[in-house]
Amino acid sequence: MRQGVRNPRPAGVQVASAPHRADAVVSPRVEPIASPDSFKRRAYAALKDAIVAMDVYRSRSDIRLDERRLALDFGISRTPVREAMAQLEREGFVRAVPRRGIYVVRKTKREVIEMITAWAALESMAARLITENASADEIASLRTMFAKFENGELHARLDEYSEVNIEFHQTIIRMSANGVLISLAENLFTHMRMIRRRTIGEQDRADRSIRDHLSIIEALEARDTKRAEDLVRNHALGLAEHVEKYADYLD
């Protein structure tokens, strides 16, 4: 996708503004896909990126994907787009509705809580592995992520912090250096980053988030395995508690 497009939906994405009303078409630009050998892979990656970039949980409106229009915009046949859609459906990002089309999936509150709980287990194990195996320089890199939000800059740059927050958790997983754990976490976190983006500005979560992150970094720096595991797990479960209490928009 081209830089500078504020609305990340590709042209084949439609938003149903309310039940029983005509879909409103949203048409930002997309780059044509040029390499014949990778049509399916690149269509899959482009569609997944577009879905993740959407503010899926900001509105209750349905988001419909137009397979024919997407194929035209990508400059490819409908077959690789259809194959990409099938893979995204297997991964839980879209669902096919007979005689209506393909829609972006919004997880229910219970599903979101279950995903966060699974993430807590994976990320806490990653924290254990970091204390045992990561270099001091790798751990130090986590601290530099938050320097720009000192001196009251957090709320003035909340959107930017939201992305740093997501990067922090992805980095914890990568630094585990455990290929199976990283693979298990990949799609799970893709779902979770959409709900994290929605919740970071609620109930002063951003302030608590940065305090939690700094405590986690201190435990990792000290190679305090038990404390690092506990802090990471409790941080994730705190998000689950928040969703349970406040995320009525998921039902």
Short mmCIF file of all heavy atoms in Angstrom, two decimals, residues 170-235:
data_model
loop_
_atom_site.label_atom_id
_atom_site.label_comp_id
_atom_site.label_asym_id
_atom_site.label_seq_id
_atom_site.Cartn_x
_atom_site.Cartn_y
_atom_site.Cartn_z
N GLN A 170 5.68 -7.82 20.75
CA GLN A 170 6.23 -8.64 19.66
C GLN A 170 7.72 -8.92 19.89
O GLN A 170 8.19 -10.02 19.61
CB GLN A 170 6.03 -7.92 18.33
CG GLN A 170 4.58 -7.89 17.86
CD GLN A 170 4.42 -7.09 16.58
OE1 GLN A 170 4.88 -5.96 16.48
NE2 GLN A 170 3.76 -7.68 15.60
N THR A 171 8.43 -7.92 20.40
CA THR A 171 9.86 -8.08 20.64
C THR A 171 10.13 -9.10 21.74
O THR A 171 11.07 -9.90 21.66
CB THR A 171 10.50 -6.73 20.98
OG1 THR A 171 10.26 -5.80 19.92
CG2 THR A 171 12.01 -6.87 21.19
N ILE A 172 9.31 -9.08 22.80
CA ILE A 172 9.44 -10.07 23.87
C ILE A 172 9.36 -11.48 23.28
O ILE A 172 10.16 -12.37 23.60
CB ILE A 172 8.35 -9.87 24.94
CG1 ILE A 172 8.57 -8.57 25.71
CG2 ILE A 172 8.30 -11.07 25.89
CD1 ILE A 172 9.73 -8.57 26.66
N ILE A 173 8.39 -11.69 22.40
CA ILE A 173 8.23 -13.01 21.78
C ILE A 173 9.45 -13.35 20.92
O ILE A 173 10.02 -14.45 21.01
CB ILE A 173 6.94 -13.05 20.94
CG1 ILE A 173 5.70 -12.97 21.84
CG2 ILE A 173 6.90 -14.31 20.08
CD1 ILE A 173 5.52 -14.15 22.76
N ARG A 174 9.90 -12.42 20.08
CA ARG A 174 11.04 -12.69 19.20
C ARG A 174 12.30 -12.98 20.00
O ARG A 174 13.10 -13.85 19.63
CB ARG A 174 11.29 -11.50 18.27
CG ARG A 174 10.28 -11.34 17.15
CD ARG A 174 10.81 -10.42 16.07
NE ARG A 174 11.15 -9.10 16.59
CZ ARG A 174 10.30 -8.08 16.63
NH1 ARG A 174 9.06 -8.23 16.19
NH2 ARG A 174 10.69 -6.91 17.10
N MET A 175 12.51 -12.26 21.10
CA MET A 175 13.73 -12.42 21.88
C MET A 175 13.79 -13.77 22.61
O MET A 175 14.83 -14.16 23.11
CB MET A 175 13.86 -11.28 22.89
CG MET A 175 14.31 -9.97 22.25
SD MET A 175 14.27 -8.56 23.40
CE MET A 175 15.37 -9.16 24.68
N SER A 176 12.67 -14.49 22.64
CA SER A 176 12.70 -15.84 23.21
C SER A 176 13.60 -16.75 22.39
O SER A 176 14.12 -17.75 22.90
CB SER A 176 11.30 -16.43 23.27
OG SER A 176 10.85 -16.80 21.97
N ALA A 177 13.74 -16.45 21.09
CA ALA A 177 14.55 -17.25 20.16
C ALA A 177 14.06 -18.69 20.07
O ALA A 177 14.83 -19.59 19.72
CB ALA A 177 16.03 -17.20 20.55
N ASN A 178 12.77 -18.89 20.37
CA ASN A 178 12.18 -20.23 20.28
C ASN A 178 11.24 -20.23 19.08
O ASN A 178 10.18 -19.59 19.10
CB ASN A 178 11.41 -20.54 21.57
CG ASN A 178 10.81 -21.93 21.57
OD1 ASN A 178 9.98 -22.26 20.75
ND2 ASN A 178 11.23 -22.76 22.52
N GLY A 179 11.64 -20.95 18.03
CA GLY A 179 10.89 -20.90 16.79
C GLY A 179 9.45 -21.36 16.91
O GLY A 179 8.55 -20.77 16.30
N VAL A 180 9.20 -22.39 17.68
CA VAL A 180 7.83 -22.90 17.83
C VAL A 180 6.97 -21.87 18.57
O VAL A 180 5.84 -21.59 18.17
CB VAL A 180 7.83 -24.25 18.58
CG1 VAL A 180 6.41 -24.70 18.87
CG2 VAL A 180 8.55 -25.31 17.75
N LEU A 181 7.52 -21.30 19.63
CA LEU A 181 6.77 -20.30 20.39
C LEU A 181 6.45 -19.10 19.50
O LEU A 181 5.33 -18.58 19.51
CB LEU A 181 7.59 -19.87 21.61
CG LEU A 181 6.90 -19.03 22.69
CD1 LEU A 181 7.60 -19.23 24.03
CD2 LEU A 181 6.89 -17.55 22.34
N ILE A 182 7.42 -18.66 18.72
CA ILE A 182 7.21 -17.51 17.83
C ILE A 182 6.12 -17.82 16.81
O ILE A 182 5.26 -16.99 16.53
CB ILE A 182 8.54 -17.15 17.13
CG1 ILE A 182 9.53 -16.58 18.15
CG2 ILE A 182 8.31 -16.14 16.00
CD1 ILE A 182 10.95 -16.47 17.62
N SER A 183 6.14 -19.02 16.25
CA SER A 183 5.13 -19.42 15.27
C SER A 183 3.74 -19.48 15.88
O SER A 183 2.76 -19.00 15.30
CB SER A 183 5.50 -20.78 14.68
OG SER A 183 4.54 -21.22 13.76
N LEU A 184 3.63 -20.05 17.08
CA LEU A 184 2.34 -20.13 17.75
C LEU A 184 1.77 -18.74 18.05
O LEU A 184 0.55 -18.52 18.00
CB LEU A 184 2.48 -20.92 19.05
CG LEU A 184 2.69 -22.42 18.94
CD1 LEU A 184 3.04 -23.01 20.30
CD2 LEU A 184 1.45 -23.11 18.36
N ALA A 185 2.65 -17.81 18.37
CA ALA A 185 2.21 -16.48 18.78
C ALA A 185 1.82 -15.59 17.61
O ALA A 185 1.07 -14.62 17.80
CB ALA A 185 3.31 -15.80 19.59
N GLU A 186 2.28 -15.90 16.41
CA GLU A 186 2.16 -14.95 15.29
C GLU A 186 0.73 -14.54 15.00
O GLU A 186 0.37 -13.36 15.07
CB GLU A 186 2.80 -15.53 14.03
CG GLU A 186 2.76 -14.57 12.86
CD GLU A 186 3.42 -15.14 11.61
OE1 GLU A 186 3.91 -16.28 11.66
OE2 GLU A 186 3.44 -14.44 10.59
N ASN A 187 -0.13 -15.49 14.63
CA ASN A 187 -1.50 -15.12 14.28
C ASN A 187 -2.31 -14.72 15.50
O ASN A 187 -3.20 -13.87 15.42
CB ASN A 187 -2.19 -16.27 13.54
CG ASN A 187 -1.90 -16.26 12.05
OD1 ASN A 187 -1.62 -15.22 11.47
ND2 ASN A 187 -1.95 -17.41 11.43
N LEU A 188 -1.99 -15.33 16.64
CA LEU A 188 -2.68 -14.95 17.87
C LEU A 188 -2.47 -13.47 18.15
O LEU A 188 -3.42 -12.74 18.46
CB LEU A 188 -2.15 -15.80 19.03
CG LEU A 188 -2.72 -15.51 20.42
CD1 LEU A 188 -4.22 -15.73 20.44
CD2 LEU A 188 -2.04 -16.41 21.45
N PHE A 189 -1.24 -13.01 18.01
CA PHE A 189 -0.99 -11.61 18.29
C PHE A 189 -1.58 -10.69 17.24
O PHE A 189 -1.96 -9.55 17.53
CB PHE A 189 0.51 -11.33 18.44
CG PHE A 189 0.77 -9.96 18.98
CD1 PHE A 189 0.50 -9.67 20.31
CD2 PHE A 189 1.26 -8.95 18.17
CE1 PHE A 189 0.72 -8.40 20.82
CE2 PHE A 189 1.48 -7.68 18.68
CZ PHE A 189 1.21 -7.41 20.01
N THR A 190 -1.68 -11.16 16.02
CA THR A 190 -2.31 -10.35 14.98
C THR A 190 -3.75 -10.03 15.37
O THR A 190 -4.23 -8.90 15.20
CB THR A 190 -2.27 -11.07 13.63
OG1 THR A 190 -0.92 -11.40 13.30
CG2 THR A 190 -2.85 -10.20 12.52
N HIS A 191 -4.46 -11.02 15.90
CA HIS A 191 -5.81 -10.75 16.43
C HIS A 191 -5.74 -9.81 17.61
O HIS A 191 -6.53 -8.86 17.73
CB HIS A 191 -6.46 -12.07 16.87
CG HIS A 191 -6.92 -12.94 15.75
ND1 HIS A 191 -8.01 -12.63 14.97
CD2 HIS A 191 -6.43 -14.12 15.29
CE1 HIS A 191 -8.18 -13.58 14.07
NE2 HIS A 191 -7.25 -14.49 14.24
N MET A 192 -4.80 -10.04 18.51
CA MET A 192 -4.74 -9.26 19.74
C MET A 192 -4.36 -7.81 19.52
O MET A 192 -4.81 -6.92 20.23
CB MET A 192 -3.74 -9.89 20.72
CG MET A 192 -4.30 -11.09 21.44
SD MET A 192 -3.17 -11.63 22.73
CE MET A 192 -2.96 -10.12 23.67
N ARG A 193 -3.54 -7.53 18.52
CA ARG A 193 -3.12 -6.14 18.32
C ARG A 193 -4.31 -5.28 17.94
O ARG A 193 -4.33 -4.07 18.24
CB ARG A 193 -2.01 -6.04 17.29
CG ARG A 193 -2.42 -6.25 15.85
CD ARG A 193 -1.22 -6.09 14.93
NE ARG A 193 -0.67 -4.75 15.02
CZ ARG A 193 0.54 -4.42 14.57
NH1 ARG A 193 1.32 -5.34 14.04
NH2 ARG A 193 0.96 -3.18 14.66
N MET A 194 -5.34 -5.87 17.31
CA MET A 194 -6.51 -5.08 16.96
C MET A 194 -7.28 -4.66 18.20
O MET A 194 -7.78 -3.54 18.29
CB MET A 194 -7.40 -5.87 15.99
CG MET A 194 -6.75 -6.09 14.64
SD MET A 194 -7.85 -6.80 13.39
CE MET A 194 -7.86 -8.53 13.87
N ILE A 195 -7.38 -5.55 19.19
CA ILE A 195 -8.07 -5.19 20.42
C ILE A 195 -7.19 -4.31 21.30
O ILE A 195 -7.68 -3.42 22.01
CB ILE A 195 -8.57 -6.44 21.18
CG1 ILE A 195 -9.60 -6.03 22.24
CG2 ILE A 195 -7.43 -7.22 21.80
CD1 ILE A 195 -10.86 -5.43 21.71
N ARG A 196 -5.87 -4.50 21.27
CA ARG A 196 -4.98 -3.62 22.02
C ARG A 196 -5.11 -2.18 21.54
O ARG A 196 -5.08 -1.23 22.33
CB ARG A 196 -3.51 -4.08 21.89
CG ARG A 196 -3.14 -5.25 22.76
CD ARG A 196 -1.65 -5.52 22.67
NE ARG A 196 -1.26 -6.70 23.42
CZ ARG A 196 -1.02 -6.74 24.71
NH1 ARG A 196 -1.14 -5.63 25.43
NH2 ARG A 196 -0.66 -7.86 25.30
N ARG A 197 -5.20 -2.01 20.23
CA ARG A 197 -5.34 -0.66 19.68
C ARG A 197 -6.61 0.01 20.19
O ARG A 197 -6.65 1.21 20.43
CB ARG A 197 -5.35 -0.73 18.15
CG ARG A 197 -5.34 0.64 17.47
CD ARG A 197 -5.42 0.51 15.96
NE ARG A 197 -4.24 -0.16 15.42
CZ ARG A 197 -4.28 -1.30 14.77
NH1 ARG A 197 -5.43 -1.93 14.60
NH2 ARG A 197 -3.19 -1.84 14.29
N ARG A 198 -7.65 -0.79 20.38
CA ARG A 198 -8.94 -0.24 20.85
C ARG A 198 -8.90 0.09 22.33
O ARG A 198 -9.51 1.07 22.78
CB ARG A 198 -10.04 -1.27 20.57
CG ARG A 198 -11.43 -0.89 21.08
CD ARG A 198 -11.99 0.28 20.29
NE ARG A 198 -13.38 0.52 20.60
CZ ARG A 198 -13.82 1.27 21.61
NH1 ARG A 198 -12.95 1.83 22.43
NH2 ARG A 198 -15.11 1.45 21.81
N THR A 199 -8.18 -0.71 23.13
CA THR A 199 -8.27 -0.57 24.58
C THR A 199 -7.21 0.34 25.19
O THR A 199 -7.35 0.75 26.35
CB THR A 199 -8.14 -1.95 25.26
OG1 THR A 199 -6.88 -2.55 24.91
CG2 THR A 199 -9.28 -2.88 24.84
N ILE A 200 -6.15 0.68 24.46
CA ILE A 200 -5.01 1.37 25.08
C ILE A 200 -5.40 2.73 25.64
O ILE A 200 -4.81 3.20 26.62
CB ILE A 200 -3.83 1.50 24.09
CG1 ILE A 200 -2.56 1.92 24.84
CG2 ILE A 200 -4.17 2.47 22.97
CD1 ILE A 200 -2.08 0.94 25.86
N GLY A 201 -6.40 3.39 25.06
CA GLY A 201 -6.81 4.70 25.55
C GLY A 201 -7.91 4.68 26.59
O GLY A 201 -8.38 5.74 27.01
N GLU A 202 -8.31 3.50 27.02
CA GLU A 202 -9.43 3.38 27.96
C GLU A 202 -8.94 3.27 29.40
O GLU A 202 -7.95 2.59 29.69
CB GLU A 202 -10.26 2.13 27.62
CG GLU A 202 -10.87 2.15 26.23
CD GLU A 202 -11.53 0.84 25.84
OE1 GLU A 202 -11.29 -0.18 26.52
OE2 GLU A 202 -12.28 0.84 24.86
N GLN A 203 -9.65 3.93 30.32
CA GLN A 203 -9.43 3.75 31.77
C GLN A 203 -7.96 3.91 32.18
O GLN A 203 -7.45 3.16 33.01
CB GLN A 203 -9.95 2.36 32.19
CG GLN A 203 -11.41 2.11 31.88
CD GLN A 203 -12.33 2.97 32.71
OE1 GLN A 203 -12.08 3.19 33.88
NE2 GLN A 203 -13.40 3.46 32.09
N ASP A 204 -7.28 4.90 31.61
CA ASP A 204 -5.87 5.17 31.95
C ASP A 204 -4.96 3.96 31.72
O ASP A 204 -3.93 3.80 32.38
CB ASP A 204 -5.74 5.63 33.40
CG ASP A 204 -6.41 6.97 33.65
OD1 ASP A 204 -6.30 7.84 32.77
OD2 ASP A 204 -7.04 7.14 34.70
N ARG A 205 -5.33 3.10 30.79
CA ARG A 205 -4.51 1.91 30.54
C ARG A 205 -3.12 2.27 30.04
O ARG A 205 -2.16 1.55 30.31
CB ARG A 205 -5.22 0.98 29.54
CG ARG A 205 -6.27 0.10 30.20
CD ARG A 205 -6.69 -1.02 29.26
NE ARG A 205 -5.55 -1.78 28.77
CZ ARG A 205 -4.89 -2.70 29.47
NH1 ARG A 205 -5.25 -2.96 30.71
NH2 ARG A 205 -3.88 -3.35 28.93
N ALA A 206 -2.98 3.37 29.32
CA ALA A 206 -1.67 3.73 28.78
C ALA A 206 -0.68 4.00 29.92
O ALA A 206 0.47 3.54 29.87
CB ALA A 206 -1.78 4.95 27.87
N ASP A 207 -1.10 4.74 30.94
CA ASP A 207 -0.22 5.02 32.07
C ASP A 207 0.20 3.73 32.78
O ASP A 207 1.37 3.53 33.11
CB ASP A 207 -0.92 5.94 33.07
CG ASP A 207 -1.04 7.36 32.55
OD1 ASP A 207 -0.08 7.84 31.93
OD2 ASP A 207 -2.09 7.99 32.75
N ARG A 208 -0.78 2.86 33.03
CA ARG A 208 -0.47 1.60 33.70
C ARG A 208 0.40 0.70 32.82
O ARG A 208 1.27 -0.02 33.30
CB ARG A 208 -1.76 0.88 34.09
CG ARG A 208 -2.41 1.48 35.34
CD ARG A 208 -3.71 0.82 35.68
NE ARG A 208 -4.78 1.28 34.79
CZ ARG A 208 -5.76 0.52 34.34
NH1 ARG A 208 -5.81 -0.76 34.64
NH2 ARG A 208 -6.71 1.02 33.58
N SER A 209 0.16 0.78 31.52
CA SER A 209 0.92 -0.03 30.59
C SER A 209 2.40 0.32 30.63
O SER A 209 3.25 -0.58 30.71
CB SER A 209 0.37 0.17 29.16
OG SER A 209 1.20 -0.44 28.21
N ILE A 210 2.71 1.60 30.59
CA ILE A 210 4.13 1.97 30.56
C ILE A 210 4.81 1.64 31.88
O ILE A 210 5.97 1.22 31.91
CB ILE A 210 4.30 3.46 30.17
CG1 ILE A 210 5.72 3.69 29.66
CG2 ILE A 210 3.95 4.40 31.30
CD1 ILE A 210 5.90 5.02 28.93
N ARG A 211 4.09 1.78 33.01
CA ARG A 211 4.67 1.39 34.30
C ARG A 211 4.94 -0.11 34.33
O ARG A 211 6.00 -0.56 34.79
CB ARG A 211 3.73 1.78 35.44
CG ARG A 211 3.65 3.28 35.69
CD ARG A 211 3.03 3.57 37.05
NE ARG A 211 1.68 3.05 37.17
CZ ARG A 211 0.58 3.75 36.86
NH1 ARG A 211 0.68 5.00 36.39
NH2 ARG A 211 -0.62 3.22 37.01
N ASP A 212 3.98 -0.89 33.83
CA ASP A 212 4.18 -2.35 33.78
C ASP A 212 5.38 -2.72 32.92
O ASP A 212 6.18 -3.59 33.28
CB ASP A 212 2.93 -3.04 33.23
CG ASP A 212 1.78 -3.08 34.22
OD1 ASP A 212 1.97 -2.65 35.37
OD2 ASP A 212 0.68 -3.53 33.83
N HIS A 213 5.49 -2.08 31.77
CA HIS A 213 6.58 -2.39 30.86
C HIS A 213 7.94 -2.11 31.49
O HIS A 213 8.88 -2.91 31.35
CB HIS A 213 6.43 -1.60 29.56
CG HIS A 213 5.29 -2.05 28.71
ND1 HIS A 213 4.86 -1.34 27.61
CD2 HIS A 213 4.48 -3.13 28.79
CE1 HIS A 213 3.83 -1.98 27.05
NE2 HIS A 213 3.59 -3.06 27.77
N LEU A 214 8.06 -0.99 32.17
CA LEU A 214 9.33 -0.65 32.79
C LEU A 214 9.68 -1.63 33.91
O LEU A 214 10.85 -2.00 34.09
CB LEU A 214 9.29 0.79 33.32
CG LEU A 214 9.20 1.86 32.21
CD1 LEU A 214 9.04 3.25 32.83
CD2 LEU A 214 10.42 1.82 31.29
N SER A 215 8.66 -2.09 34.65
CA SER A 215 8.91 -3.10 35.69
C SER A 215 9.36 -4.42 35.06
O SER A 215 10.25 -5.10 35.60
CB SER A 215 7.64 -3.32 36.52
OG SER A 215 7.31 -2.16 37.25
N ILE A 216 8.76 -4.78 33.94
CA ILE A 216 9.16 -6.00 33.23
C ILE A 216 10.61 -5.89 32.77
O ILE A 216 11.40 -6.83 32.94
CB ILE A 216 8.22 -6.25 32.02
CG1 ILE A 216 6.82 -6.67 32.51
CG2 ILE A 216 8.81 -7.31 31.09
CD1 ILE A 216 5.76 -6.63 31.42
N ILE A 217 10.97 -4.74 32.22
CA ILE A 217 12.35 -4.55 31.74
C ILE A 217 13.33 -4.67 32.91
O ILE A 217 14.40 -5.30 32.78
CB ILE A 217 12.48 -3.18 31.04
CG1 ILE A 217 11.67 -3.19 29.73
CG2 ILE A 217 13.95 -2.87 30.75
CD1 ILE A 217 11.49 -1.82 29.11
N GLU A 218 13.00 -4.08 34.05
CA GLU A 218 13.88 -4.17 35.23
C GLU A 218 14.09 -5.63 35.65
O GLU A 218 15.21 -6.03 35.98
CB GLU A 218 13.29 -3.36 36.37
CG GLU A 218 13.37 -1.85 36.16
CD GLU A 218 12.58 -1.08 37.19
OE1 GLU A 218 12.01 -1.73 38.11
OE2 GLU A 218 12.53 0.16 37.10
N ALA A 219 13.02 -6.42 35.62
CA ALA A 219 13.13 -7.83 36.00
C ALA A 219 13.98 -8.60 34.99
O ALA A 219 14.79 -9.46 35.36
CB ALA A 219 11.74 -8.45 36.12
N LEU A 220 13.82 -8.28 33.70
CA LEU A 220 14.64 -8.94 32.68
C LEU A 220 16.11 -8.55 32.83
O LEU A 220 17.00 -9.40 32.72
CB LEU A 220 14.13 -8.57 31.29
CG LEU A 220 12.73 -9.06 30.91
CD1 LEU A 220 12.31 -8.48 29.57
CD2 LEU A 220 12.68 -10.59 30.86
N GLU A 221 16.37 -7.28 33.09
CA GLU A 221 17.75 -6.81 33.26
C GLU A 221 18.42 -7.50 34.45
O GLU A 221 19.61 -7.81 34.42
CB GLU A 221 17.77 -5.29 33.46
CG GLU A 221 17.44 -4.51 32.19
CD GLU A 221 17.26 -3.03 32.45
OE1 GLU A 221 16.92 -2.64 33.59
OE2 GLU A 221 17.44 -2.24 31.49
N ALA A 222 17.62 -7.74 35.50
CA ALA A 222 18.15 -8.39 36.70
C ALA A 222 18.23 -9.90 36.56
O ALA A 222 18.71 -10.58 37.47
CB ALA A 222 17.28 -8.03 37.91
N ARG A 223 17.76 -10.45 35.42
CA ARG A 223 17.72 -11.89 35.19
C ARG A 223 16.89 -12.58 36.30
O ARG A 223 17.19 -13.71 36.69
CB ARG A 223 19.12 -12.50 35.14
CG ARG A 223 20.07 -11.80 34.18
CD ARG A 223 19.75 -12.12 32.73
NE ARG A 223 20.62 -11.37 31.83
CZ ARG A 223 20.74 -11.61 30.52
NH1 ARG A 223 20.05 -12.60 29.97
NH2 ARG A 223 21.52 -10.88 29.76
N ASP A 224 15.87 -11.87 36.75
CA ASP A 224 14.98 -12.41 37.79
C ASP A 224 13.86 -13.17 37.08
O ASP A 224 12.80 -12.61 36.76
CB ASP A 224 14.43 -11.27 38.64
CG ASP A 224 13.66 -11.76 39.86
OD1 ASP A 224 13.16 -12.91 39.83
OD2 ASP A 224 13.52 -11.00 40.83
N THR A 225 14.10 -14.43 36.83
CA THR A 225 13.20 -15.23 35.99
C THR A 225 11.78 -15.28 36.54
O THR A 225 10.80 -15.04 35.80
CB THR A 225 13.75 -16.66 35.85
OG1 THR A 225 15.05 -16.59 35.26
CG2 THR A 225 12.85 -17.51 34.97
N LYS A 226 11.63 -15.60 37.79
CA LYS A 226 10.29 -15.75 38.36
C LYS A 226 9.53 -14.42 38.32
O LYS A 226 8.35 -14.39 37.95
CB LYS A 226 10.41 -16.23 39.81
CG LYS A 226 9.08 -16.41 40.54
CD LYS A 226 8.24 -17.52 39.90
CE LYS A 226 7.09 -17.97 40.79
NZ LYS A 226 6.16 -16.87 41.13
N ARG A 227 10.18 -13.33 38.69
CA ARG A 227 9.51 -12.04 38.69
C ARG A 227 9.14 -11.62 37.26
O ARG A 227 8.04 -11.11 37.02
CB ARG A 227 10.39 -10.98 39.35
CG ARG A 227 9.77 -9.58 39.35
CD ARG A 227 10.53 -8.63 40.26
NE ARG A 227 10.11 -7.26 40.07
CZ ARG A 227 8.98 -6.75 40.53
NH1 ARG A 227 8.14 -7.51 41.22
NH2 ARG A 227 8.67 -5.48 40.31
N ALA A 228 10.04 -11.84 36.31
CA ALA A 228 9.75 -11.47 34.93
C ALA A 228 8.55 -12.26 34.40
O ALA A 228 7.65 -11.70 33.75
CB ALA A 228 10.97 -11.73 34.05
N GLU A 229 8.54 -13.56 34.66
CA GLU A 229 7.39 -14.39 34.24
C GLU A 229 6.09 -13.86 34.84
O GLU A 229 5.08 -13.72 34.14
CB GLU A 229 7.59 -15.83 34.71
CG GLU A 229 8.44 -16.69 33.82
CD GLU A 229 8.39 -18.13 34.28
OE1 GLU A 229 8.69 -18.39 35.47
OE2 GLU A 229 8.05 -19.00 33.46
N ASP A 230 6.11 -13.60 36.14
CA ASP A 230 4.89 -13.16 36.83
C ASP A 230 4.42 -11.81 36.31
O ASP A 230 3.21 -11.60 36.09
CB ASP A 230 5.13 -13.08 38.34
CG ASP A 230 5.27 -14.45 38.98
OD1 ASP A 230 4.92 -15.46 38.33
OD2 ASP A 230 5.72 -14.51 40.14
N LEU A 231 5.35 -10.87 36.14
CA LEU A 231 4.96 -9.54 35.68
C LEU A 231 4.36 -9.58 34.27
O LEU A 231 3.35 -8.92 34.00
CB LEU A 231 6.18 -8.61 35.69
CG LEU A 231 6.67 -8.15 37.07
CD1 LEU A 231 8.00 -7.42 36.94
CD2 LEU A 231 5.63 -7.26 37.74
N VAL A 232 4.98 -10.35 33.38
CA VAL A 232 4.47 -10.44 32.01
C VAL A 232 3.10 -11.11 32.00
O VAL A 232 2.16 -10.64 31.32
CB VAL A 232 5.47 -11.21 31.12
CG1 VAL A 232 4.83 -11.59 29.80
CG2 VAL A 232 6.71 -10.36 30.88
N ARG A 233 2.96 -12.20 32.75
CA ARG A 233 1.67 -12.90 32.80
C ARG A 233 0.57 -12.00 33.38
O ARG A 233 -0.53 -11.89 32.83
CB ARG A 233 1.80 -14.17 33.63
CG ARG A 233 0.51 -15.01 33.65
CD ARG A 233 0.65 -16.22 34.57
NE ARG A 233 1.78 -17.05 34.20
CZ ARG A 233 2.90 -17.15 34.90
NH1 ARG A 233 3.06 -16.45 36.02
NH2 ARG A 233 3.88 -17.94 34.50
N ASN A 234 0.87 -11.33 34.48
CA ASN A 234 -0.13 -10.48 35.12
C ASN A 234 -0.49 -9.27 34.27
O ASN A 234 -1.64 -8.81 34.29
CB ASN A 234 0.37 -10.03 36.50
CG ASN A 234 0.44 -11.18 37.49
OD1 ASN A 234 -0.23 -12.20 37.32
ND2 ASN A 234 1.26 -11.03 38.52
N HIS A 235 0.48 -8.77 33.52
CA HIS A 235 0.21 -7.65 32.61
C HIS A 235 -0.81 -8.07 31.55
O HIS A 235 -1.78 -7.36 31.29
CB HIS A 235 1.50 -7.20 31.95
CG HIS A 235 1.34 -6.10 30.95
ND1 HIS A 235 0.96 -4.82 31.29
CD2 HIS A 235 1.50 -6.11 29.60
CE1 HIS A 235 0.90 -4.07 30.19
NE2 HIS A 235 1.22 -4.84 29.16
#
